[in-house]
Amino acid sequence: MTSKTAAQDDTAFLGHPRALGFLAFSEAWERFSYYGMQSLLVLYMTKQLLLSPQVDRIAGFPAFHGFIEVIYHPGASIQAVASAIFGLYTSLVYLTPILGGFLADRVLGKTRTVILGALLMSAGHFLMAFDVSFLLALLCLILGTGCFKGNIAGQVGALYGDTDLRRADAFQIFYLGINAGVIAAPLIAGTLGEKVGWHYGFGAAGVGMLIALVIYLSGRRYLPPDPPLPAKGVARPKLPPSERGTILLLVALLPVMAASVLCNQQIFNAYLIWADRAVNLEIMGQKAPTTWLITLDSAVSVSFLAIMVVFWRMWAARFKEPDEIGKLTIGAFVSVAGVLCLAAGAAIAEATGTKVNLLWCVAFHVLNSIAFANILPVSLALFARAAPKAVAGAVIGIYYLHLFAANQTVGILGGLLEKMPASRFWFMHAAIAFGAGVVFLLVGRIFARRLSPAAVGPDPLEAAA
């Protein structure tokens, strides 16, 4: 392929360039590996790894535990230590894309950085098979995800020219690939880990990552070439004051966004531990694997992502559609309703001495999925549209810092699960999400003009790419 983008008449994959199929399927398997491992991580730590004698075999763990104690103060509770490790790991996964973006833009190019990320992630998954290499495995996964995550998405955008309107649909297809991997991960890796052996689950995740790498390499010849790396010593033009003000406002929104997604991010941590102990997971007389709750959440999320797209199109036909801040406000308040279902289920169980009815969890996942559809994709769209073109890539990298902060907070709050009734634990999460909704409401009233398309300029897809 001689041009820097796919040809306009390349419609080999669902009306899109052939390369999109390879990128989407590669990302699906990468997400399968990532979420397969993540769905098992906290259960594995609390049920095996952090117990004696396994914990004594982890290389470097005494020093690492000392670091965890200084930062998170988990005490002697295994669940609190596991929650802290989970929070640190999952937050760093959203910090390293900045490093991955720098490597791709300045040193290696996107293609080689994606390959490096896939190799590091594969190594990390297989290192999880050994107690001694647990911390090294997490390090490989953190660095590998940072190299892989943002850059493969950037390659999707690079398939299309400035006037090619297929780009928006391409990201929807790409996102469906992501969710397909998330749905399959607990069913395969999660079930193997819980029912057969933890390391079988981690091994399945490693195999998934190798499949992702093979698919990516198979489609490499269809990808447009990476843009040339910048010459050393070339100065970047300065941003005008209005664009600097927009960036500052976006950065100021990061902690609010972190608070708004807190309930969603807690699903992989304290929620799994609580559900494993307190929720009645029996189906037809058999206890379902706890990790299947993640598959339930992913399946419902995919459904409501599609439903919300249709809903807002129908709404816009008759009424004024809310802007991004308006949808973020709605999402935050819906998230409050979702987590209040968990608080109510826990309160009833505490009062009656029974296990929590599974229907409370189903209600939570439905409401949380509606909230997710109005928070995460919408917030990314806001940053992509509002980011000044000259620093669009950096701003998108900064966007992921709210997930870094959210997962750090998840790790800290997760340690409180054993220190308070579960009903109060979930009500605390609802209160935090409620605060985020109030701030979004105020921002929409005060700074709406600053973030409007007329103020920051059009062409968000070009910025997102």
Side-chain angles (χ1 to χ4, degrees), residues 23 110-112 114 150-160 216 223-224 226 465:
L23 294 176
K110 283 185 171 58
T111 300
R112 283 183 288 181
V114 168
N151 288 311
I152 194 171
Q155 288 187 313
V156 173
L159 294 175
Y160 303 89
Y216 182 80
L223 294 173
D226 291 339

Side-chain angles (χ1 to χ4, degrees), residues 352-428:
T352 59
T354 60
K355 286 202 167 187
V356 178
N357 192 305
L358 182 59
L359 291 178
W360 287 110
C361 294
V362 173
F364 161 70
H365 286 295
V366 169
L367 291 169
N368 181 69
S369 295
I370 296 173
F372 175 92
N374 286 286
I375 294 178
L376 284 173
V378 173
S379 60
L380 180 56
L382 171 64
F383 272 62
R385 178 179 62 77
K389 286 186 178 182
V391 292
V395 171
I396 295 301
I398 291 171
Y399 163 83
Y400 287 108
L401 291 179
H402 87 278
L403 293 172
F404 166 81
N407 283 296
Q408 281 285 340
T409 308
V410 159
I412 294 171
L413 295 182
L416 300 177
L417 182 62
E418 292 185 341
K419 300 178 181 179
M420 62 175 63
S423 56
R424 192 190 308 172
F425 178 82
W426 294 121
F427 186 80
M428 173 182 64

Side-chain angles (χ1 to χ4, degrees), residues 13 90 156 163 208 215 280 294 329 334 347 352 417:
F13 180 73
T90 54
V156 173
T163 59
I215 293 173
N280 182 5
I294 296 173
T329 305
V334 174
T352 59
L417 182 62

Side-chain angles (χ1 to χ4, degrees), residues 8-89:
Q8 186 80 25
D9 58 354
D10 184 355
T11 59
F13 180 73
L14 302 176
H16 289 264
R18 182 181 286 105
L20 177 63
F22 287 95
L23 294 176
F25 281 107
S26 180
E27 177 67 5
W29 280 104
E30 184 273 335
R31 290 290 89 182
F32 168 86
S33 75
Y34 176 81
Y35 282 103
M37 177 270 186
Q38 184 167 298
S39 65
L40 290 171
L41 181 58
V42 72
L43 295 174
Y44 168 60
M45 288 191 290
T46 55
K47 292 187 173 184
Q48 178 171 315
L49 183 68
L50 297 184
L51 305 177
S52 294
Q54 287 86 357
V55 69
D56 300 321
R57 301 171 186 158
I58 303 174
F61 190 77
F64 179 73
H65 184 267
F67 170 78
I68 291 291
E69 186 64 40
V70 170
I71 301 298
Y72 296 96
H73 309 290
S77 168
I78 290 176
Q79 186 271 320
V81 172
S83 179
I85 294 173
F86 178 90
L88 180 63
Y89 163 69

Side-chain angles (χ1 to χ4, degrees), residues 298-308:
S298 302
V300 175
S301 292
V302 169
S303 301
F304 276 97
L305 278 167
I307 289 170
M308 292 310 301

Side-chain angles (χ1 to χ4, degrees), residues 214-442:
V214 169
I215 293 173
Y216 182 80
L217 293 175
S218 299
R220 186 179 181 185
R221 65 186 182 276
Y222 300 114
L223 294 173
D226 291 339
L229 298 174
K232 294 182 179 180
V234 177
R236 292 188 175 186
K238 291 185 177 181
L239 296 175
S242 62
E243 292 187 343
R244 291 200 295 269
T246 299
I247 292 175
L248 288 175
L249 179 55
L250 291 175
V251 171
L253 282 176
L254 291 175
V256 189
M257 289 161 50
S260 71
V261 300
L262 203 62
C263 306
N264 184 76
Q265 301 306 106
Q266 193 66 269
I267 289 174
F268 289 90
N269 185 30
Y271 175 73
L272 284 180
I273 296 173
W274 171 73
D276 188 64
R277 299 173 180 173
V279 177
N280 182 5
L281 295 174
E282 286 195 6
I283 300 176
M284 299 180 65
Q286 297 291 325
K287 183 180 182 295
T290 309
T291 50
W292 284 15
L293 289 171
I294 296 173
T295 291
L296 170 64
D297 183 75
S298 302
V300 175
S301 292
V302 169
S303 301
F304 276 97
L305 278 167
I307 289 170
M308 292 310 301
V309 170
V310 175
F311 172 80
W312 286 124
R313 296 285 62 77
M314 294 175 63
W315 180 275
R318 299 186 61 185
F319 309 102
K320 181 180 178 181
E321 184 176 356
D323 59 11
E324 293 102 338
I325 293 295
K327 291 179 180 178
L328 288 171
T329 305
I330 293 169
F333 286 128
V334 174
S335 177
V336 172
V339 77
L340 283 177
C341 291
L342 298 182
I348 293 172
E350 289 162 5
T352 59
T354 60
K355 286 202 167 187
V356 178
N357 192 305
L358 182 59
L359 291 178
W360 287 110
C361 294
V362 173
F364 161 70
H365 286 295
V366 169
L367 291 169
N368 181 69
S369 295
I370 296 173
F372 175 92
N374 286 286
I375 294 178
L376 284 173
V378 173
S379 60
L380 180 56
L382 171 64
F383 272 62
R385 178 179 62 77
K389 286 186 178 182
V391 292
V395 171
I396 295 301
I398 291 171
Y399 163 83
Y400 287 108
L401 291 179
H402 87 278
L403 293 172
F404 166 81
N407 283 296
Q408 281 285 340
T409 308
V410 159
I412 294 171
L413 295 182
L416 300 177
L417 182 62
E418 292 185 341
K419 300 178 181 179
M420 62 175 63
S423 56
R424 192 190 308 172
F425 178 82
W426 294 121
F427 186 80
M428 173 182 64
H429 284 71
I432 295 172
F434 181 82
V438 171
V439 175
F440 280 139
L441 188 63
L442 294 175

